[in-house]
Amino acid sequence: MAAFIIEGGHPLSGTIEPQGAKNEALQVICATLLTSEKVTIHNIPHIRDVMNLIQLLKDVGVKVDSDGNTYTFQADELNLDYLQSNEFVQKCAQLRGSVMMIGPLLARMGKATIAKPGGDKIGRRRLDTHFLGFERLGAQFHHVAERDVYEIFAQQLNGCYMLLDEASVTGTANIVMAAVMAKGTTTIYNAACEPYLQQLCKMLNKMGARISGIASNLLTIEGVDTLNGTEHTILPDMIEVGSFIGMAAMVGNGIRIKNVSIKDLGIIPNTFRRMGITIKEEGDDLYIPNMHHYEIQSFIDGTIMTLADAPWPGLTPDLLSVLITVATQARGSVLVHQKMFESRLFFVDKLIDMGAQIILCDPHRAVVVGHDRKLQLRGGRMSSPDIRAGIALLIAAMSAKGTSRIDNIEQIDRGYENIEGRLNALGAKITRLP
């Protein structure tokens, strides 16, 4: 297990550019299974989860060529026998993104196999929305107890109306990819509408799909017989942009975040502004000056600020860990309400060990009382429980007094490409131990 050694207290300055969006990459890469023609995707991030998914597609028989961050996929000779193998099931169990292969395989091949996928240890992440959607389209499930997998079959998917039980991003993406080749029209209400889901739908339309209602929670999909190849460019990763804003506030001495696609960031910049952080929009860049002090706003009636996650266009839960860390050095207090995952706030114990003033009310709520930089966090040894807590702890360690060690950084590698190299270029002192 690899680790980071972080020498805290070094201010960062300069320019950094976000990588391609992890969550979009996982969706659009799976969508390449829908056609036998070539699909070229630009701005693919070289991160663990994405590279593991690409390798899985290679194992299935997809031809993959790459040139830097541009990849070409051609799924014209799939090895359907491999989909039934124990090796395939084991690899799926280690990669949550593999669940989005079901929709394309079901649409094009009429069958798929799925094991319980891996991923972050942030609480229960059910797949009911995926399965219920496939069932509404006409798929049937068979549980193979001795292998603990589900085999999914459909001689013909048929369009229908469905009201999703939750606005699941991966669930919506999976159902959309299955429905694009179903017979008739599919209407999905309470659909997720995140920018990355919008990007998937736009890419599918360029491939010949007929999807309307993009960017809303009501999608209408007219099924087609086949899809063709296309070319697509992935958006900058909004979670990385938010992570860099928090980093700039905590340890920055003037940081420019380049080419962020401001129009696709939604509520993220204003959420950090509510924390008292100055963010200047210059073209498609964000500039965060040195923030010696930043004060958390109150509501209009004077009550304590509350930040809560919600489906898009609400605040993404992936940034709450960073916001909690940033709040530890703010002036004022904030209540953070994590509604979606019951284990995601447990990492705050590590911040408390570093000297942060945080009251963990229950698995979903934490109150942060900011130090206003009067008390610096202290270095320590910790372990990264998931991608987003990992980057939050890295930010805390860079702002802390003394040296810190973060173990299990493979979790960070799942979502952030060469993060120590990029931050060291700004002035950080981070060493990777193999």
Side-chain angles (χ1 to χ4, degrees):
M1 199 158 42
F4 280 148
I5 303 298
I6 305 102
E7 186 180 306
H10 295 280
L12 311 186
S13 61
T15 299
I16 193 166
E17 187 164 355
Q19 65 193 22
K22 167 185 179 273
N23 292 337
E24 180 185 343
L26 295 174
Q27 295 176 30
V28 298
I29 289 171
C30 288
T32 65
L33 292 167
L34 284 164
T35 179
S36 61
E37 298 184 17
K38 287 185 178 180
V39 177
T40 300
I41 304 177
H42 304 285
N43 201 29
I44 288 182
H46 290 169
I47 54 178
R48 186 180 295 267
D49 275 12
V50 172
M51 293 299 105
N52 285 346
L53 179 62
I54 291 174
Q55 183 57 53
L56 189 57
L57 263 62
K58 289 181 179 178
D59 294 339
V60 173
V62 179
K63 301 182 181 75
V64 181
D65 292 316
S66 63
D67 181 11
N69 293 94
T70 295
Y71 283 71
T72 299
F73 303 84
Q74 186 166 13
D76 57 344
E77 295 180 351
L78 296 182
N79 180 1
L80 298 182
D81 291 336
Y82 183 76
L83 298 175
Q84 307 299 320
S85 69
N86 288 330
E87 181 181 344
F88 174 73
V89 170
Q90 290 168 2
K91 288 188 175 182
C92 288
Q94 297 169 5
L95 176 65
R96 185 166 184 82
S98 65
V99 72
M100 284 181 289
M101 295 173 63
I102 304 175
L105 289 171
L106 195 58
R108 187 169 164 217
M109 301 299 171
K111 61 181 180 179
T113 303
I114 187 65
K116 183 178 179 181
D120 289 323
K121 306 306 179 188
I122 56 176
R124 185 167 174 263
R125 304 175 75 179
R126 62 190 183 91
L127 298 177
D128 300 56
T129 303
H130 304 244
F131 285 14
L132 291 170
F134 295 143
E135 283 185 328
R136 293 283 292 134
L137 292 171
Q140 296 180 332
F141 294 82
H142 172 61
H143 183 234
V144 184
E146 61 270 21
R147 299 173 63 204
D148 195 23
V149 300
Y150 284 93
E151 293 179 347
I152 311 170
F153 303 92
Q155 289 186 346
Q156 173 66 62
L157 295 176
N158 294 292
C160 65
Y161 170 85
M162 65 179 78
L163 173 62
L164 301 188
D165 62 332
E166 65 172 352
S168 164
V169 178
T170 56
T172 302
N174 228 344
I175 296 167
V176 166
M177 288 188 281
V180 290
M181 296 176 70
K183 184 178 180 180
T185 300
T186 301
T187 303
I188 307 174
Y189 198 24
N190 195 30
C193 55
E194 271 78 356
Y196 305 143
L197 198 285
Q198 297 173 36
Q199 285 282 96
L200 171 67
C201 292
K202 292 173 183 176
M203 172 178 153
L204 291 172
N205 278 351
K206 287 193 295 182
M207 294 170 69
R210 298 174 182 172
I211 306 171
S212 58
I214 298 172
S216 77
N217 67 348
L218 181 62
L219 294 175
T220 301
I221 305 160
E222 298 177 47
V224 298
D225 293 330
T226 59
L227 295 177
N228 49 258
T230 192
E231 194 167 343
H232 177 78
T233 300
I234 293 173
L235 287 174
D237 195 310
M238 71 167 80
I239 311 304
E240 194 169 71
V241 173
S243 302
F244 292 155
I245 294 172
M247 201 173 291
M250 287 280 281
V251 293
N253 191 25
I255 289 180
R256 177 177 299 276
I257 311 171
K258 284 192 67 66
N259 301 323
V260 300
S261 190
I262 291 173
K263 64 183 178 61
D264 294 302
L265 293 179
I267 201 173
I268 291 172
N270 283 340
T271 300
F272 281 97
R273 289 183 177 115
R274 290 167 72 184
M275 301 285 288
I277 297 165
T278 300
I279 303 175
K280 299 179 180 179
E281 298 181 6
E282 300 176 355
D284 206 27
D285 300 350
L286 299 179
Y287 179 75
I288 298 90
N290 176 279
M291 298 299 301
H292 186 63
H293 291 283
Y294 48 96
E295 185 171 356
I296 300 170
Q297 298 176 5
S298 300
F299 287 120
I300 292 175
D301 62 0
T303 55
I304 186 173
M305 175 63 64
T306 300
L307 298 178
D309 57 340
W312 184 270
L315 178 63
T316 170
D318 285 346
L319 279 176
L320 289 186
S321 300
V322 171
L323 286 162
I324 288 172
T325 302
V326 171
T328 64
Q329 292 302 316
R331 178 185 295 145
S333 302
V334 62
L335 169 64
V336 176
H337 191 172
Q338 162 60 271
K339 298 177 181 178
M340 297 175 66
F341 304 110
E342 66 270 16
S343 303
R344 204 161 205 171
L345 294 186
F346 289 160
F347 89 103
V348 302
D349 285 350
K350 301 173 178 64
L351 294 177
I352 293 170
D353 290 342
M354 298 175 76
Q357 291 185 310
I358 303 174
I359 303 166
L360 186 60
C361 308
D362 55 46
H364 292 277
R365 296 177 301 160
V367 175
V368 186
V369 181
H371 289 315
D372 192 20
R373 305 232 190 238
K374 294 175 182 176
L375 180 63
Q376 189 177 5
L377 297 178
R378 55 181 176 267
R381 182 165 184 172
M382 58 205 89
S383 180
S384 173
D386 64 75
I387 301 174
R388 309 310 174 186
I391 199 68
L393 293 174
L394 182 59
I395 295 171
M398 287 191 295
S399 74
K401 182 179 181 180
T403 300
S404 298
R405 175 181 173 129
I406 302 178
D407 294 308
N408 195 29
I409 61 169
E410 287 83 0
Q411 286 285 3
I412 301 174
D413 291 339
R414 290 178 49 222
Y416 295 85
E417 180 180 342
N418 184 29
I419 190 65
E420 75 274 21
R422 297 158 74 198
L423 296 182
N424 285 342
L426 299 179
K429 300 294 183 184
I430 305 170
T431 303
R432 177 184 291 260
L433 300 182

